[in-house]
Amino acid sequence: MAKQESGATDREIEALMRLVHVIEAEHRARPTSALDLRARMLIQELGLNGESAILSVRRSLRLSPSTLTSLADRLERDGYLERRRHPTDRRTVVLALTATGRRAYMAEKEFYRHLIDDSLQSLDAAARSHVLAALAGMAPNRPADHT
């Protein structure tokens, strides 16, 4: 297959697209999952990075200010997160998970743990190790504005 500008082949792109579809289908099939994709992304962002400045979250998730505000309003109303003033810069607002939000984050981690285990069960230990190493290398840690 021909390489695209990104360097990925059509086959590789299609495999990634299938994986994303599987993940979304699995999420929709969860009877307890009342959170939409953007809500899960915000909870995951805060779970991975801890409480973070709104601007940092907005940049990381690539959300418009109005979209993030609406999303944060809804998750705050539903008890998943809270807004706080930054301890040293009172002009800055940070988002933080509540106990309910932390439970939702842990449920997300467990969902992905089962998804990975189910998806990789047919692989031998060496192949599984390579896949997991590749996944880890695809999303390197990036600096974030933490408090």
Side-chain angles (χ1 to χ4, degrees), residues 101-130:
R102 286 188 298 277
R103 284 191 299 274
Y105 172 68
M106 295 309 292
E108 283 294 297
K109 282 181 71 171
E110 197 58 28
F111 166 79
Y112 280 97
R113 183 182 324 281
H114 289 296
L115 185 64
I116 288 170
D117 289 344
D118 291 347
S119 300
L120 303 182
Q121 70 182 350
S122 64
L123 300 178
D124 64 35
R128 180 184 170 100
S129 176
H130 287 295

Side-chain angles (χ1 to χ4, degrees), residues 38-108:
R38 286 186 174 151
R40 291 191 322 267
M41 287 175 59
L42 178 51
I43 288 170
Q44 290 169 16
E45 178 73 15
L46 297 174
L48 289 166
N49 297 312
E51 68 180 44
S52 301
I54 286 182
L55 182 59
S56 174
V57 172
R58 189 172 68 75
R59 286 179 179 157
S60 178
L61 297 180
R62 296 180 174 96
L63 297 174
S64 70
S66 61
T67 299
L68 180 56
T69 297
S70 297
L71 180 59
D73 286 347
R74 180 168 46 99
L75 291 176
E76 186 174 37
R77 181 192 68 228
D78 293 345
Y80 289 96
L81 66 80
E82 61 186 4
R83 289 177 172 96
R84 299 180 188 156
R85 290 285 173 192
H86 189 282
T88 59
D89 180 358
R90 303 297 291 163
R91 298 168 298 169
T92 300
V93 175
V94 296
L95 300 176
L97 292 177
T98 63
T100 299
R102 286 188 298 277
R103 284 191 299 274
Y105 172 68
M106 295 309 292
E108 283 294 297

Side-chain angles (χ1 to χ4, degrees), residues 131-144:
V131 170
L132 293 174
L135 285 173
M138 288 174 61
N141 292 332
R142 63 184 181 280

Side-chain angles (χ1 to χ4, degrees), residues 2-33:
K3 293 264 183 186
Q4 306 298 314
E5 283 185 34
S6 68
T9 66
D10 286 347
R11 183 177 175 206
E12 293 162 339
I13 292 166
E14 290 163 0
L16 181 59
M17 290 169 71
R18 281 189 199 94
L19 179 60
V20 169
H21 289 202
V22 166
I23 292 169
E24 278 306 302
E26 289 293 324
H27 264 294
R28 284 190 303 274
R30 290 168 68 188
T32 58
S33 181

